[in-house]
Amino acid sequence: MFRCGFGYDVHCLVSDRELILGGVKIPYSKGLSGHSDADVLIHSIIDALLGALALGDIGTFYPDNDLAYKDIDSRILLRKTYTLITEKGWKLNNLDAVICCQEPKLQPFINAMRANLALDLHCAIEQISLKATTEEGLGISGKGEGISAFCQLLLVKD
């Protein structure tokens, strides 16, 4: 038995925050604005995991008006979500994600992000595909106003 999930997230870039993607601190003059650490990649993965089992979205489980989640490390939320998924008898088969970001260049950090995700999702790094792209100057990421991420994944019954 299989279940497919899709997730998307976007946050604005601001000058007073660290940039964290896939749990990796990226050296850059701006970071993402949000209630938590605003890690758009992990947020898109959480939405995909929850969506695969029709459980709602990240805001259902971790509302942005709950002080318990203020500035929280999104990897904590990812691990908590994956525990919920595994308790329901599912596990990750594979994950494919894209980060849309004009700057900074993310290629040097992709493998560290993949390693974090594999650790948090209890799988091999080969089950995690992660790509970064620019939007050629178009849209919120292309204009350097924000960063977005898309994730599609497949769960299998354990």
Side-chain angles (χ1 to χ4, degrees):
M1 189 179 245
F2 301 94
R3 296 296 293 265
C4 181
F6 176 78
Y8 168 77
D9 195 32
V10 61
H11 284 271
C12 291
L13 283 164
V14 294
S15 59
D16 59 344
R17 297 274 303 229
E18 288 184 317
L19 179 58
I20 301 170
L21 295 169
V24 176
K25 289 182 183 178
I26 312 290
Y28 191 57
S29 61
K30 297 179 182 178
L32 294 169
S33 176
H35 185 68
S36 67
D37 65 5
D39 188 326
V40 293
L41 174 59
I42 289 181
H43 294 184
S44 72
I45 294 167
I46 291 170
D47 268 352
L49 287 166
L50 294 170
L53 298 185
L55 297 174
D57 61 22
I58 191 170
T60 303
F61 285 81
Y62 316 109
D64 64 5
N65 58 0
D66 187 333
L67 292 178
Y69 305 117
K70 179 73 174 139
D71 297 323
I72 195 166
D73 180 340
S74 292
R75 289 183 70 195
I76 294 169
L77 304 180
L78 178 61
R79 291 188 293 264
K80 186 174 179 176
T81 303
Y82 195 63
T83 296
L84 173 69
I85 299 302
T86 58
E87 286 173 350
K88 292 186 175 296
W90 296 87
K91 68 179 182 179
L92 182 74
N93 184 73
N94 70 299
L95 176 156
D96 190 17
V98 177
I99 304 169
C100 299
C101 176
Q102 196 68 33
E103 290 183 338
K105 296 298 183 195
L106 299 178
Q107 191 58 43
F109 308 100
I110 294 290
N111 281 335
M113 290 182 218
R114 289 177 67 217
N116 283 346
L117 297 173
L119 183 65
D120 293 344
L121 297 170
H122 307 284
C123 68
I125 197 168
E126 294 80 15
Q127 292 170 264
I128 308 292
S129 172
L130 179 56
K131 299 158 310 262
T133 189
T134 68
E135 290 186 302
E136 303 296 330
L138 302 173
I140 189 171
S141 71
K143 293 177 183 170
E145 297 170 354
I147 296 175
S148 62
F150 298 86
C151 174
Q152 185 164 0
L153 55 78
L154 185 66
L155 299 179
V156 294
K157 198 68 168 171
D158 197 16

